[in-house]
Amino acid sequence: MHIAIIGCGQLARMLALAGIPMGLKFSFIAQAEEDSRCVEGLGSIVRWQPGKSTECLYHELGRPDRITAENEQANTSLLNGLQAYCPIHPNPQAFSICQDRHREKQLLESLDIPCADYIVCQGNDSHLDKLSLSAVAKSCRGGYDGKKQWVLKRRQDVESFMRQANREHYIVEQWVPFDREVSQISVRDINGTIFHYPLTENQHQQGILRQSMAPAIEIPEKIISAAHDYISRILAELDYVGVMAMECFALNDRLLVNELAPRVHNSGHWTQSGSATCQFENHLRAISELPLGSTKSLGITGMVNLIGTEKPPLNALTIESSLHWYDKIVRPGRKLGHINILSEDYHSLLQQMRSLHLGRG
Ligand code: AMP
């Protein structure tokens, strides 16, 4: 089985690293200028830019059996074109919805799934004047890790947003005074069977995921069953095959969906150490039409992102931790690797996670 992955970042790398032991072969589709260091040595890398024929691309890739993507911003005309040659999972419709925040909100609303109240900017500023603050303006496309977002706390923030941004492609969302941020990672196979990983608790700083812990501590049963119900309905509605991540705000015993990712996700990296089958392997199993693997957790796992870290922090390794280094060009603020810690109790896990942050200053 040969799988082509659109994208050459760390998610593509970890997918290939999970599939190689199963005898799967990989190739990668890179955009003209895309850095492909993460996947070098893991399969052939073919460059693509709009205008190049999909037939030619498909043959240059070595005629893969399945195509998937590591990023929801995958070009939809490329996905639609490649569909003529082999199955694409998740399907192009899922990408086209999840790459646009407004379409994603419309999907949630159509399924009666709660999310933060919002308005759509349509080049007319009058309704922004009446906005109750705080709020956050988000670009409908291309914003990740808090990029292309404006936190609007005071009237001056609204005025500055109105002066500077191209508002026609923004939604403005009500600020949610959440208690905790959680994500649900689930996988659906071609027959519609769904397996859920335990709910993960996430901590972000300036919009970037810093650390995750799973299973999340003392989460009301109501929140867990809402997460399973919401993601199951989304996966079924999209006739989705593969892993999906649903990022949410938990507020008392309510769950509001913030964002969907039609792919493996940073908040599921803990599954590499803490689950019977990691998210990467389960995504590959689903898209290859193989039986899904168990999503049972093996203990309590923490994941700490290495952001802007210059070298692999080998000295930080302990008996309970493992290091994943992505081999990317080092830049401040960039995710360059992560450490997973599989522990026996929450107290010791939290202590180890804290010491990793302190160790990096
Ligand atoms: P996003 O790109 O939508 O995932 O947002 C990145 C992070 O910004 C989230 O994980 C939250 O920490 C924060 N954030 C985004 N939207 C909201 C909101 N409506 N209310 C409160 N915090 C938010």
Side-chain angles (χ1 to χ4, degrees):
M1 173 79 69
H2 171 177
I3 294 171
I5 303 175
I6 303 176
C8 296
Q10 65 264 26
L11 300 178
R13 173 190 178 89
M14 289 186 274
L15 280 166
L17 290 175
I20 289 169
M22 294 160 67
L24 303 179
K25 302 276 179 260
F26 292 89
S27 56
F28 305 90
I29 303 173
Q31 287 173 23
E33 305 297 322
E34 188 174 345
D35 178 9
S36 56
R37 274 167 61 133
C38 274
V39 296
E40 265 156 34
L42 300 174
S44 59
I45 300 166
V46 179
R47 301 266 157 197
W48 181 82
Q49 51 196 349
K52 180 171 180 169
S53 96
T54 42
E55 184 180 5
C56 171
L57 173 65
Y58 181 71
H59 286 279
E60 274 183 56
L61 287 166
R63 300 194 292 135
D65 303 297
R66 299 283 184 281
I67 297 178
T68 191
E70 65 151 7
N71 184 331
E72 59 270 35
Q73 297 307 332
N75 182 299
T76 38
S77 59
L78 170 65
L79 292 168
N80 289 326
L82 285 170
Q83 224 176 4
Y85 304 95
C86 77
I88 301 199
H89 296 307
N91 60 54
Q93 192 212 354
F95 283 101
S96 115
I97 290 176
C98 297
Q99 62 190 213
D100 184 301
R101 284 185 194 269
H102 185 207
R103 272 190 230 147
E104 198 171 273
K105 291 264 196 199
Q106 288 172 319
L107 169 75
L108 298 174
E109 285 168 333
S110 73
L111 295 171
D112 231 356
I113 294 175
C115 56
D117 290 339
Y118 71 102
I119 53 171
V120 184
C121 296
Q122 290 161 331
N124 168 0
D125 298 331
S126 58
H127 51 331
L128 287 180
D129 290 338
K130 296 182 206 96
L131 197 69
S132 74
L133 301 180
S134 297
V136 52
K138 299 179 174 182
S139 168
C140 286
R141 298 178 76 99
Y144 66 97
D145 286 350
K147 293 189 174 77
K148 297 197 185 177
Q149 291 191 10
W150 297 62
V151 176
L152 310 175
K153 288 196 172 145
R154 302 160 304 167
R155 280 289 141 208
Q156 296 97 293
D157 300 328
V158 179
E159 281 152 25
S160 120
F161 166 66
M162 283 159 70
R163 269 198 306 276
Q164 294 186 44
N166 171 9
R167 295 175 305 284
E168 286 189 34
H169 301 286
Y170 274 73
I171 57 167
V172 181
E173 200 173 88
Q174 209 61 63
W175 190 256
V176 179
F178 57 81
D179 304 320
R180 304 159 80 168
E181 287 193 81
V182 294
S183 57
Q184 178 62 53
I185 315 279
S186 302
V187 57
R188 182 177 184 267
D189 74 9
I190 197 109
N191 303 312
T193 301
I194 296 173
F195 284 1
H196 302 292
Y197 286 97
L199 205 63
T200 304
E201 175 153 11
N202 302 311
Q203 275 164 22
H204 293 83
Q205 262 169 24
Q206 282 131 11
I208 302 183
L209 180 67
R210 295 285 148 170
Q211 62 177 51
S212 306
M213 202 165 62
I217 313 173
E218 291 170 9
I219 287 278
E221 219 25 71
K222 207 171 154 188
I223 295 263
I224 296 173
S225 51
H228 292 178
D229 172 42
Y230 298 165
I231 200 165
S232 300
R233 285 198 270 136
I234 294 165
L235 292 170
E237 174 69 18
L238 297 175
D239 194 16
Y240 189 97
V241 175
V243 164
M244 174 182 271
M246 180 181 78
E247 292 185 87
C248 306
F249 302 125
L251 187 67
N252 302 318
D253 58 357
R254 286 183 65 215
L255 193 68
L256 299 182
V257 175
N258 176 33
E259 205 176 11
L260 305 174
R263 54 172 170 81
V264 286
H265 192 257
N266 193 173
S267 68
H269 288 1
W270 66 267
T271 61
Q272 292 168 311
S273 293
S275 177
T277 317
C278 74
Q279 62 164 348
F280 301 99
E281 181 176 334
N282 254 338
H283 184 73
L284 297 171
R285 285 181 181 227
I287 68 170
S288 310
E289 293 163 38
L290 300 170
L292 299 179
S294 162
T295 48
K296 217 169 110 190
S297 54
L298 306 175
I300 308 147
T301 316
M303 187 282 315
V304 175
N305 269 334
L306 302 170
I307 297 174
T309 312
E310 291 193 355
K311 290 190 294 227
L314 293 167
N315 292 340
L317 281 172
T318 65
I319 194 166
E320 292 186 326
S321 64
S322 54
L323 170 66
H324 296 260
W325 187 251
Y326 309 150
D327 244 341
K328 297 202 301 196
I329 294 166
V330 174
R331 262 190 242 124
R334 199 171 198 204
K335 291 176 186 165
L336 297 162
H338 67 272
I339 289 183
N340 285 332
I341 307 162
L342 175 62
S343 191
E344 294 191 351
D345 68 275
Y346 281 114
H347 181 71
S348 140
L349 177 64
L350 287 171
Q351 235 172 10
Q352 292 185 63
M353 291 171 84
R354 214 168 295 127
S355 75
L356 279 175
H357 289 295
L358 293 174
R360 296 207 313 279

